[in-house]
Amino acid sequence: MALLDSLEWRYATKKMNGEVVPQDKLDYILEAARLAPSSSGLQPYKVFVISNKEILEQIRPVAWNQSVITECSHLLVFAAWDGYSLEKIETVFNEMMEVRGLPLNTMDAYKSTLWGMYEPLGQEWHATHAAKQAYISFGLAIAAAAEVGVDATPIEGFTPPEVDKILGLAEQGLKSVVLLPLGYRDAANDWNVNLKKYRKAKEELIVEIK
């Protein structure tokens, strides 16, 4: 039940106090993000961890001027592949086989099947699918942050092409999909801190089919 208590405690922090998140807690959050499941284990994304104040100042105006961007300890930028390719898929599976001590050709049939499904769907589908995988990692990072008492603010309110430009993501075949500032709440100045948490009732949200 500890996780549920942590999720009850967390909220979308609107003001942070600039306090630095200890390295061990940051590492815990990032490890949760790393261990997240993804379709076929491809993990088609990267997580950029930004504490450079100059870069944060550049990002804030293209993130709807939200103050948590510059008040946070670290900003996580989840950036997904802009498309799949057979080469990318093979690279991941070759690494996977090496870790598992298996011949590199072990998954050849599966790789061919996977690329055969993905290729005709086009780059827009590829980018959307990769972004969905990044969101799984993002969700576990939020939960891990709550577990260790670190505030986190999910942010979709930003201009991805501008963030991509600041971080040079296009050159890396990546697109920013969601931001996650990490830090500590400034309770005295956050209008959202004492508002009662609202979530839909279980009976409204959960549908059981027996």
Side-chain angles (χ1 to χ4, degrees), residues 61-133:
V62 299
W64 299 6
N65 201 36
Q66 294 177 77
S67 65
V68 288
I69 297 291
T70 50
E71 295 164 353
C72 70
S73 169
H74 298 80
L75 175 67
L76 307 189
V77 178
F78 290 77
W81 291 359
D82 61 6
Y84 291 103
S85 69
L86 181 57
E87 181 182 6
K88 288 179 180 178
I89 291 171
E90 286 181 334
T91 296
V92 174
F93 275 104
N94 285 346
E95 291 176 358
M96 190 186 298
M97 294 308 101
E98 287 178 357
V99 168
R100 293 175 174 174
L102 297 172
L104 296 185
N105 63 359
T106 301
M107 300 289 284
D108 279 357
Y110 183 77
K111 286 184 287 188
S112 297
T113 299
L114 191 63
W115 180 235
M117 291 189 297
Y118 284 8
E119 184 180 19
L121 295 173
Q123 190 160 356
E124 184 177 351
W125 183 92
H126 291 184
T128 299
H129 185 269
K132 289 178 180 179
Q133 311 314 307

Side-chain angles (χ1 to χ4, degrees), residues 137-158:
S137 176
F138 170 75
L140 287 184
I142 294 171
E147 255 194 327
V148 294
V150 172
D151 286 299
T153 309
I155 292 181
E156 291 183 305
F158 70 103

Side-chain angles (χ1 to χ4, degrees), residues 10 16 46-48 50 55-56 58-66 68-70 72 74-79 134-135 138-139 141-142 152-164 166-167 169 175-182:
R10 74 151 303 277
M16 292 186 178
K46 287 187 177 182
V47 184
F48 291 79
I50 304 169
I55 295 176
L56 295 176
Q58 292 177 51
I59 293 175
R60 178 170 170 171
V62 299
W64 299 6
N65 201 36
Q66 294 177 77
V68 288
I69 297 291
T70 50
C72 70
H74 298 80
L75 175 67
L76 307 189
V77 178
F78 290 77
Y135 267 93
F138 170 75
I142 294 171
T153 309
I155 292 181
E156 291 183 305
F158 70 103
T159 307
E162 294 299 325
V163 171
D164 296 353
I166 292 167
L167 299 179
L169 298 185
K175 291 184 175 182
S176 56
V177 294
V178 65
L179 311 180
L180 187 63
L182 301 175

